[in-house]
Amino acid sequence: MAKDTESKSFLLRIDTATMEALEHWASDEFRSMNGQLQWIIADALKRAGRSPKK
């Protein structure tokens, strides 16, 4: 995934079971939680045809 020169932070509240599942998935793919969430969001945007214009 391309790195932007600017990024924004936000708070995300999710239940414990979901957090644990995401941590396990990230670990399986050798990503950080942040990296895994960025990948999931980018993939969902791409599949929905809503990727940001470059």
Side-chain angles (χ1 to χ4, degrees):
M1 181 180 345
K3 301 286 182 190
D4 291 338
T5 56
E6 184 179 331
S7 61
K8 294 187 177 188
S9 299
F10 70 98
L11 179 63
L12 175 65
R13 291 187 177 102
I14 57 175
D15 61 86
T16 302
T18 300
M19 182 68 167
E20 289 171 358
L22 285 168
E23 287 172 336
H24 187 72
W25 187 11
S27 177
D28 287 348
E29 297 193 5
F30 304 104
R31 290 187 179 111
S32 65
M33 273 292 293
N34 188 64
Q36 188 70 11
L37 289 170
Q38 287 178 327
W39 179 84
I40 291 167
I41 293 166
D43 186 57
L45 288 169
K46 182 176 157 186
R47 288 174 186 241
R50 295 177 176 266
S51 294
K53 305 290 185 235
K54 295 182 180 181

